[in-house]
């Protein structure tokens, strides 16, 4: 084909965000002087130029239908010059340059049943991975866990009653896009995968499945005259990494796929290195539609944090100061053998460092 006839590539990346920004933000990009917090859920940013803009943060139910979106965006048209933004934690943010419109805007969103908050030292909305709605390998519906948990934490979203801000995350499988948070609720598989041998040769590329296993527990095998796979169950750490490339290696199970709570994660920032989460509660029932056991543990941790942490200590900093034994004493959570990582092969085979191995 001559070059002139070739179809041009379709640019499908992220569009330029500047075109969607409020004009006041565009004009003052990178030129902000300071910000204040007039009340929970409201930020006031002041620019070098003297211009100011108010941000009103509103918690949503995360999975939004078209009717709710229309209602929320019409409020944006009426009070916020038609500019809104959704945050990574599915809060909607309105931008208002006229201070007199802040309270009527809050009144309008609250009338529809939404809550304003999630700024400063509050529990902001939980972030979650996609769950059953969008992904092909979840062991629970992370968005459902989030919705039911936020219903219980609504007062901590609406007020500044925590020592510092709290980020909570959930993830619906054990290996992929799980979040890093002060408190994380993650899936925990407790049994090795069950293999549907009749399907393996039709569906799975066996060498890539063997290569996926972090502990080399999978071997090729012939079963009933058909190429299949077998798992050394003594080695298997029930991570679920073989399930995405080979769905016949089913690891999700109504009884044995549980939830676990991890504590103390934080991304690096200007003041500190990243910190890694530690397991504090395991084998929690994966119990829809309201996940009461997991919510109870999260509320218990938040209560102890609120009572015992110093002002502006994040959850991880609080635990670092008091020590993990004291954390378990204060929360009363049982310390079990599952909290000890005694797997000696990790150093040689898990991708725990940035070294490239061949
Ligand atoms: S956490 Fe796992 S199951 Fe959930 S969306 Fe990410 S990859 Fe998919
Ligand atoms: S669940 Fe994880 S450890 Fe077990 S066989 Fe699959 S990949 Fe290997």
């Amino acid at each position: 084909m001559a070059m002139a006839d070739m179809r041009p590539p379709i640019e499908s990346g992220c569009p330029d965000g500047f075109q969607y920004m409020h004009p006041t933000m565009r004009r003052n990009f990178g030129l902000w002087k300071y910000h204040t917090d007039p009340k929970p859920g409201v930020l006031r940013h002041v620019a070098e130029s003297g211009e100011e803009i108010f941000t009103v943060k509103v918690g949503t139910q995360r999975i939004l239908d078209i009717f709710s979106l229309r209602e929320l965006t019409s409020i944006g048209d009426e009070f916020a010059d038609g500019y809104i933004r959704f945050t990574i934690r599915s809060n909607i943010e309105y931008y208002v340059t006229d201070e007199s419109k802040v309270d009527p805007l809050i009144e309008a969103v609250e009338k529809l049943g939404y809550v304003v908050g999630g700024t400063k030292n509050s529990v902001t909305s939980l972030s979650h991975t996609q769950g059953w709605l969008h992904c092909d390998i979840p062991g629970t519906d992370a968005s459902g866990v989030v919705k039911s948990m936020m219903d219980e934490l609504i007062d901590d979203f609406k007020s500044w009653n925590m020592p510092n801000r709290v980020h909570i995350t959930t993830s619906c499988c054990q290996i992929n896009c799980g979040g890093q948070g002060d408190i994380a609720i993650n899936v925990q598989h407790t049994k090795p995968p069950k293999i549907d041998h009749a399907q393996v040769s039709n569906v799975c590329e066996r060498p890539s499945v063997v290569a996926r296993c972090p502990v080399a527990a999978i071997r090729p095998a012939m079963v009933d005259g058909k190429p299949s796979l077998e798992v050394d169950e003594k080695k298997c750490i029930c991570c679920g990494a073989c399930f995405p490339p080979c769905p016949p290696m089913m690891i999700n199970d109504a009884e044995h796929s549980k939830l676990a709570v991890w504590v103390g994660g934080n991304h690096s920032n200007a003041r500190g290195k990243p910190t890694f989460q530690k397991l504090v509660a395991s084998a929690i029932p994966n119990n829809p539609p309201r996940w009461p056991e997991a919510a109870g543990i999260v509320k218990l941790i938040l209560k102890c944090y609120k009572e015992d942490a110093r002002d502006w200590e994040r959850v991880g900093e609080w635990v670092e100061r008091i020590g993990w034994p004291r954390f378990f004493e204060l929360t009363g959570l049982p310390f079990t053998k599952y909290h000890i990582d005694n797997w000696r092969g990790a150093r040689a085979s898990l991708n725990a460092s940035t070294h490239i191995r061949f």
Side-chain angles (χ1 to χ4, degrees):
M1 191 188 297
M3 281 297 275
D5 303 334
M6 284 179 72
R7 178 176 60 80
I10 298 167
E11 290 299 340
S12 57
C14 205
D16 179 7
F18 273 86
Q19 61 187 309
Y20 305 121
M21 262 191 206
H22 191 288
T24 307
M25 298 185 101
R26 238 181 285 156
R27 272 197 303 278
N28 296 289
F29 183 78
L31 298 169
W32 296 100
K33 204 169 170 189
Y34 66 91
H35 82 270
T36 57
D37 297 85
K39 58 169 113 172
V42 182
L43 300 166
R44 171 178 163 259
H45 281 86
V46 180
E48 302 279 359
S49 63
E51 281 191 293
E52 59 180 29
I53 194 161
F54 293 82
T55 305
V56 179
K57 189 179 283 234
V58 179
T60 73
Q61 65 270 45
R62 317 194 61 85
I63 308 293
L64 286 167
D65 59 280
I66 191 79
F67 304 103
S68 310
L69 273 170
R70 279 197 183 126
E71 284 178 334
L72 286 167
T73 47
S74 343
I75 289 177
D77 281 339
E78 192 175 344
F79 299 99
D81 308 326
Y83 288 87
I84 56 158
R85 182 179 90 95
F86 280 93
T87 72
I88 199 166
R89 293 178 172 268
S90 304
N91 297 303
I92 182 170
E93 285 184 349
Y94 295 99
Y95 300 106
V96 187
T97 41
D98 179 355
E99 188 174 0
S100 66
K101 287 189 178 169
V102 172
D103 285 336
L105 190 158
I106 293 175
E107 210 176 295
V109 285
E110 285 183 342
K111 208 164 149 202
L112 290 176
Y114 293 92
V115 277
V116 176
T119 56
K120 215 178 169 188
N121 51 326
S122 61
V123 177
T124 189
S125 286
L126 278 66
S127 68
H128 73 77
T129 50
Q130 305 299 343
W132 287 320
L133 199 61
H134 295 300
C135 194
D136 54 350
I137 55 167
T140 190
D141 185 22
S143 31
V145 176
V146 164
K147 173 68 175 80
S148 48
M149 215 162 275
M150 278 313 295
D151 285 351
E152 305 233 5
L153 300 175
I154 191 164
D155 292 335
D156 300 316
F157 178 82
K158 290 199 297 192
S159 47
W160 293 331
N161 62 3
M162 289 286 151
N164 200 339
R165 65 156 53 264
V166 180
H167 284 164
I168 304 180
T169 62
T170 63
S171 83
C172 39
C173 74
Q174 203 172 271
I175 49 159
N176 284 348
C177 53
Q180 167 82 334
D182 295 295
I183 301 174
I185 302 119
N186 296 338
V187 160
Q188 178 187 32
H189 297 298
T190 58
K191 293 271 184 199
K194 283 184 210 152
I195 307 178
D196 179 351
H197 293 288
Q199 293 299 331
V200 170
S201 59
N202 300 335
V203 179
C204 316
E205 202 177 308
R206 293 189 306 156
S208 32
V209 185
V210 171
R212 274 292 276 255
C213 181
V215 293
I218 308 175
R219 288 187 292 257
M222 292 295 285
V223 179
D224 297 332
K226 280 187 158 184
S228 187
L229 296 160
E230 64 183 8
V231 171
D232 180 343
E233 296 197 352
K234 284 209 191 94
K235 278 188 179 175
C236 174
I237 54 170
C238 311
C239 66
C242 49
F243 176 50
C246 187
M249 296 188 74
M250 176 50 77
I251 192 152
N252 289 337
D253 180 283
E255 193 188 337
H256 301 296
S257 290
K258 308 277 192 184
L259 298 184
V261 174
W262 299 68
V263 158
N266 204 355
H267 295 292
S268 62
N269 59 29
R271 289 175 305 284
K273 289 192 254 181
T275 55
F276 292 98
Q277 307 168 119
K278 304 264 193 314
L279 178 75
V280 298
S282 64
I284 306 161
N286 180 15
N287 193 2
R290 303 299 295 179
W291 291 270
E293 299 85 355
I297 290 172
V298 170
K299 280 165 78 179
L300 173 68
I301 296 169
L302 286 174
K303 178 174 168 289
C304 297
Y305 167 61
K306 198 156 55 171
E307 287 169 1
D308 196 60
R310 292 180 184 154
D311 287 352
W312 306 112
E313 258 178 348
R314 291 287 289 260
V315 174
E317 291 162 346
W318 163 60
V319 183
E320 209 56 46
R321 177 173 59 78
I322 63 171
W324 286 101
R326 182 79 183 128
F327 171 87
F328 281 97
E329 260 171 42
L330 280 176
T331 54
L333 293 169
F335 186 83
T336 66
K337 63 178 181 175
Y338 299 108
H339 294 88
I340 298 168
D341 181 5
N342 62 351
W343 189 60
R344 300 175 80 180
R347 226 158 240 279
S349 63
L350 284 179
N351 278 330
S353 78
T354 51
H355 290 99
I356 296 169
R357 285 177 285 271
F358 296 97

